[in-house]
Amino acid sequence: MGTLTIVRMDEREFLEYVQSGGQVETADWMPDDYRAKLIKFIEMHGNSELMGVLPEREWILRAPTLQRKLALTAKVQDEVGHSQLIYRVVEDLGKPREQCLADLIFGRSKFHNVFHYPTKTWGDVGVIAWLVDAAAIISQKALLKCSYAPYARIMKKICWEESFHILHGRDVVLTMMNGTDEQRELVQEAVTRWWGPLMQFHGNPIPKDDDPMYVWRIKSQGNEEARQQFLDGYVPQIWELGLTVPDPKLRKRDDGVWEYTEPDWDELKHVVTGHGPKTQERLEFRREFLEQEAWVRSVVLAEAA
Amino acid sequence: MIFEVFRQEKKGTAFAHAGSVDAPDMTFAAAFAHEQYGRRQESEALWVVPRDTVHEVRDFHDELHKTYHRVDGYPLKEKLRLARERAGTTRDS
């Protein structure tokens, strides 16, 4: 492996190449800025998969039935598997996994806003698997066309597995909505709690041509485009269950565009820079486990050597 | 160590590259590949190969334009038209 195929182009030629749909492989020449942006973006995705299991993990022991416990465990395994696949892509771009983990636990890199919040009830577990995963799959589907081919390829498997998670979440939510008033209330409370973070999830509505991730065709859609797709796909599904969304301004205009109250961008910034309600606790948990299991790694590596 | 994983989706089909796993040795690599690429019965079989044993070959040039060993080297339409004309079997279409 390691044959150079895209021989050195200048940066402008490379930009034209990716903007016209060209794809790049690991061994190809690429501008330093492109490589740096790829690492930052993909690493953040890997971090999010790894941190994203913590809010759900808290509910494995409290799941209401054995079937739910197994399904939730399987979802957690899927997400950790995604983080392994994604960190592999980052490693091949030049940043070792150990360094990704160190940067994560010491707060030097970021993970998605939605994983900084508490999971208060079983209703949250359903709403996370349904709506948070739905928002995530919209971003991830847009990565199937990523200019960096190794990332685009693993996204196929990731999207396939995420589709199970949405079904699992919907099943949890529908079961509760068919249950007692108390259960229905738990779902409504969770939707209300998660709405703000969900609306912030796809990021502020900068024009896509100003978004370096779009310019390099790492992403294939702009932030607002993704949010509109989320609203269009999921608000009707929320409403048809008799649930309400805590935004009096939310409506679909005649031209098909959704109007909504401006999401709280200050909260988004505050949360992803390490100040979310659960950020420090969850990072501490990761630090503890990395330390606690260091002996396993050293034994395994010594045995293999 | 990095191991490349190839998976066969159904019996009788070709193995295709699926991704890679990071493992200390083949035993772990096989176990990781099994979990990562087969736990939903989505694979018939896997090949797990140390990355440094894969030798990539590229650069396929055709300076001599050897069209005679490709199907696009045989444009028969015009010749067939002429042949039919001579034989008096031209079809109306």
Side-chain angles (χ1 to χ4, degrees):
Chain A
M1 300 268 286
T3 329
L4 204 71
T5 46
I6 295 183
V7 279
R8 208 192 145 84
M9 306 173 168
D10 65 41
E11 199 158 306
R12 196 186 43 82
E13 282 172 325
F14 183 90
L15 201 58
E16 275 167 20
Y17 172 73
V18 292
Q19 288 184 349
S20 60
Q23 286 198 302
V24 183
E25 293 288 342
T26 313
D28 290 337
W29 177 85
M30 60 185 91
D32 292 344
D33 188 34
Y34 178 71
R35 185 185 297 274
K37 291 282 186 322
L38 274 177
I39 290 177
K40 190 178 167 202
F41 187 91
I42 303 173
E43 181 183 7
M44 196 258 201
H45 187 183
N47 291 345
S48 300
E49 298 279 1
L50 190 61
M51 296 305 288
V53 300
L54 297 183
E56 300 190 292
R57 175 193 174 278
E58 293 168 16
W59 280 88
I60 292 176
L61 292 175
R62 292 181 281 173
T65 67
L66 180 59
Q67 184 70 14
R68 293 289 192 223
K69 197 188 294 283
L70 292 170
L72 195 56
T73 311
K75 182 177 189 305
V76 165
Q77 184 186 11
D78 286 353
E79 311 287 18
V80 172
H82 297 169
S83 81
Q84 286 176 341
L85 291 172
I86 295 167
Y87 283 141
R88 279 268 51 261
V89 174
V90 178
E91 277 193 298
D92 285 348
L93 282 165
K95 181 166 181 177
R97 188 164 66 183
E98 290 71 24
Q99 203 186 326
C100 294
L101 290 174
D103 284 350
L104 172 66
I105 61 176
F106 293 113
R108 293 190 293 257
S109 57
K110 291 179 183 165
F111 57 99
H112 263 304
N113 72 316
V114 285
F115 305 124
H116 294 255
Y117 291 90
T119 336
K120 291 207 166 116
T121 72
W122 182 248
D124 294 64
V125 178
V127 168
I128 289 172
W130 179 31
L131 297 177
V132 172
D133 281 49
I137 208 172
I138 287 169
S139 305
Q140 290 173 333
K141 276 199 173 148
L143 295 171
L144 290 167
K145 285 180 275 179
C146 179
S147 58
Y148 188 58
Y151 189 41
R153 284 196 291 266
I154 60 163
M155 215 49 62
K156 237 171 108 181
K157 171 177 155 71
I158 291 178
C159 287
W160 178 62
E161 292 184 355
E162 294 292 353
S163 60
F164 293 107
H165 304 165
I166 297 183
L167 285 175
H168 156 79
R170 251 197 125 189
D171 191 59
V172 168
V173 167
L174 289 176
T175 305
M176 291 177 84
M177 291 308 287
N178 289 332
T180 63
D181 288 347
E182 218 184 335
Q183 284 175 301
R184 294 164 60 89
E185 193 49 38
L186 287 181
V187 177
Q188 180 60 63
E189 283 169 9
V191 170
T192 303
R193 258 198 296 280
W194 285 90
W195 193 251
L198 276 168
M199 288 300 283
Q200 297 158 15
F201 182 83
H202 291 107
N204 58 358
I206 48 166
K208 61 183 180 184
D209 292 310
D210 295 345
D211 185 343
M213 299 305 175
Y214 178 77
V215 171
W216 288 117
R217 293 301 186 273
I218 295 170
K219 299 197 300 194
S220 62
Q221 68 182 2
N223 293 350
E224 185 55 21
E225 221 175 318
R227 187 165 24 251
Q228 287 289 332
Q229 209 182 320
F230 171 73
L231 291 168
D232 212 43
Y234 291 89
V235 171
Q237 290 190 33
I238 296 170
W239 282 345
E240 74 176 356
L241 300 181
L243 293 163
T244 56
V245 173
D247 180 357
K249 280 197 191 155
L250 185 70
R251 71 176 190 102
K252 190 178 184 174
R253 293 197 315 233
D254 293 339
D255 62 359
V257 175
W258 287 83
E259 276 179 6
Y260 52 83
T261 304
E262 191 68 16
D264 186 344
W265 304 121
D266 292 336
E267 178 185 338
L268 175 65
K269 202 173 168 202
H270 188 69
V271 162
V272 297
T273 50
H275 311 284
K278 285 279 185 180
T279 315
Q280 292 312 321
E281 186 186 315
R282 289 191 181 137
L283 288 177
E284 182 52 38
F285 180 89
R286 279 274 168 248
R287 278 193 285 271
E288 234 172 73
F289 267 78
L290 262 178
E291 210 173 292
Q292 190 182 307
E293 280 149 19
W295 72 270
V296 179
R297 287 191 294 280
S298 61
V299 166
V300 165
L301 288 171
E303 200 127 302
Chain B
M1 255 175 94
I2 308 301
F3 295 80
E4 297 296 340
V5 182
F6 298 80
R7 65 180 269 266
Q8 185 188 36
E9 198 168 312
K10 282 185 199 130
K11 256 194 183 120
T13 60
F15 282 71
H17 185 243
S20 58
V21 293
D22 185 350
D25 60 22
M26 186 54 92
T27 311
F28 275 96
F32 291 164
H34 185 275
E35 278 304 290
Q36 190 67 270
Y37 295 103
R39 70 181 183 282
R40 286 198 166 87
Q41 290 80 46
E42 70 269 42
S43 299
E44 181 65 33
L46 300 175
W47 286 346
V48 183
V49 181
R51 174 178 277 184
D52 55 16
T53 64
V54 175
H55 183 76
E56 191 169 282
V57 179
R58 288 193 187 233
D59 297 328
F60 305 101
H61 299 296
D62 184 22
E63 287 96 346
L64 301 176
H65 304 292
K66 296 189 280 187
T67 58
Y68 51 80
H69 65 177
R70 297 200 304 259
V71 285
D72 66 352
Y74 296 90
L76 302 183
K77 217 174 156 189
E78 183 56 17
K79 285 177 191 163
L80 186 59
R81 193 188 60 78
L82 287 169
R84 280 178 180 151
E85 235 175 68
R86 283 183 76 164
T89 59
T90 303
R91 299 174 198 175
D92 322 308
S93 62

